[in-house]
Amino acid sequence: MKKIFSLLILCISILIFSQEGINFQQTSFKEILAKAKAEKKIVFIDAYASWCGPCKLMEKNVFPLKSVADYYNSNFINARFDMEKGEGPQLAMKYGIRSYPSFLFLNGDGEVVLKNMGYMGEEDFLTIAKEANNPKYATSSNKELFEKGEKDPEFLLNMMRLYADNDYDLAKKVSERYFEVKKNDPLTKDDLGMLLYFLKSPNDPNYKVFVNKKAEIITLMSEDIYKQFDANIKISKILETSLDQKTGVINDAYFYKNAIPLIGKDDAETALNRMKVLFYPTVSNYTGYEKAALEYYKNSDSFDTEELIKAAWIFSEHVSNRVSLKKAEEWAEKAVMKSETAENTYILAKLYAETGNKDNAKMYAEIAKNLAVTQGKDATLATKLLETLK
């Protein structure tokens, strides 16, 4: 009798435990949206892949937490989709999901309210949920709220991010309202990035912000970089017309002829190299990119290490000249000195391997692997690199 009673208690415990955690709906995407619309709730979607380590850690460590389950189950219609099976690939394409895990918060019309990604702990995961859980998002689209004159800075910032890639003109209008609302507030580094992204001409309303807040901006970037951006803005039309969209080739002679009278030879050269650094990777012109990047980043101390590590990564993937790779090593070393992340240390290890510094390559590949495991990230690349260094 005792054995039967113990077994019964065990079964009940298992049943209760299995019901803990976020309650993910097992139904189609269309039905999930319909339910959200009927209940005037936001949809939360965990977009994952079966091979993704951080996705499994979220499922194991975060989704079962009582605080998380209580909040998500009370406020959202929750669903999970493997992005490589069933409806997953279609959803990944629709919402531009390229890394896992990705977290989507949608209204009943399927419009993105908030989007985030990567492994996060209890506090951060609840923070994004509370940000998304605004009743107005459940009953109106972002565009409707914007057209009605919504001025909440967090709403405007999120809307800029959501539409930056698929509706640039709308996102630019949102940015203009955002910086008008925030005109008396200090600029953050993220604000500056948004300001520069949506600033294409001296005629743009945001150009006044760029000029009026120069003193603030040069505390976030060097004055030399500020001057470069200012020059680029002033000659943006010349940059645009110097590019042959069909061939992806930039006409240097045309550019210099029209830009030098406006901003001078030195600034024109810098602006042209910057354009090449930004544009050539998008058309796979890595020979042109290599030459421009070596010139543009020659005074690497003037640049943010995030920009340098991106250049170092492109060199590690597409450049074979040893002298150029040694220069990329320097950029990666600066980035690692500032922030030792799994990504930065892997790129440095890869460059060391390509320049023949096997000992350093092994050391930093090990660091990259250990950091990835510790942070719940994918350690596959570092592991594969270590195998080639045996």
Side-chain angles (χ1 to χ4, degrees), residues 151-338:
K151 293 184 178 181
D152 176 62
E154 287 300 320
F155 167 82
L156 296 171
L157 184 60
N158 184 52
M159 192 171 175
M160 274 189 278
R161 290 170 176 159
L162 292 176
Y163 289 94
D165 291 332
N166 55 30
D167 194 339
Y168 180 86
D169 289 340
L170 173 60
K172 186 172 181 295
K173 289 179 183 177
V174 176
S175 78
E176 290 164 7
R177 185 180 297 174
Y178 175 80
F179 287 110
E180 174 60 26
V181 169
K182 298 264 292 181
K183 63 184 177 184
N184 296 322
D185 298 336
L187 283 176
T188 66
K189 195 172 182 179
D190 286 343
D191 285 341
L192 178 57
M194 286 291 182
L195 179 68
L196 296 175
Y197 184 78
F198 293 109
L199 187 47
K200 302 299 180 186
S201 162
N203 298 321
D204 289 347
N206 285 341
Y207 185 69
K208 290 182 181 178
V209 181
F210 183 74
V211 172
N212 293 339
K213 287 185 174 279
K214 179 181 177 181
E216 277 186 59
I217 292 172
I218 61 177
T219 67
L220 300 171
M221 62 165 59
S222 72
E223 190 161 4
D224 284 344
I225 299 296
Y226 178 93
K227 286 174 61 181
Q228 289 176 31
F229 272 107
D230 196 27
N232 281 356
I233 294 163
K234 289 174 179 173
I235 58 171
S236 57
K237 192 64 181 178
I238 299 169
L239 284 167
E240 184 180 334
T241 51
S242 68
L243 170 64
D244 186 324
Q245 296 286 351
K246 292 182 179 179
T247 64
V249 174
I250 296 170
N251 187 329
D252 291 16
Y254 171 86
F255 174 79
Y256 283 130
K257 178 183 176 182
N258 291 278
I260 289 175
L262 287 177
I263 60 174
K265 185 172 183 289
D266 290 344
D267 284 345
E269 286 180 349
T270 301
L272 183 59
N273 282 321
R274 177 171 180 78
M275 182 186 182
K276 290 178 178 179
V277 163
L278 294 172
F279 176 69
Y280 278 156
T282 68
V283 292
S284 301
N285 182 355
Y286 295 109
T287 301
Y289 176 82
E290 177 185 357
K291 183 178 178 182
L294 289 171
E295 183 63 28
Y296 185 62
Y297 296 117
K298 63 184 177 184
N299 183 15
S300 58
D301 289 338
S302 300
F303 293 90
D304 188 276
T305 54
E306 291 180 13
E307 187 170 350
L308 294 176
I309 199 66
K310 181 180 178 182
W313 169 249
I314 294 173
F315 269 50
S316 75
E317 289 285 292
H318 301 287
V319 172
S320 57
N321 183 284
R322 193 172 184 277
V323 174
S324 299
L325 290 170
K326 290 294 288 183
K327 181 55 68 173
E329 264 183 26
E330 293 178 20
W331 303 336
E333 286 167 351
K334 287 180 186 293
V336 169
M337 285 176 66
K338 183 176 179 181

Side-chain angles (χ1 to χ4, degrees), residues 70 116 120 267 271 279:
D70 287 349
N116 217 308
M120 57 184 72
D267 284 345
F279 176 69

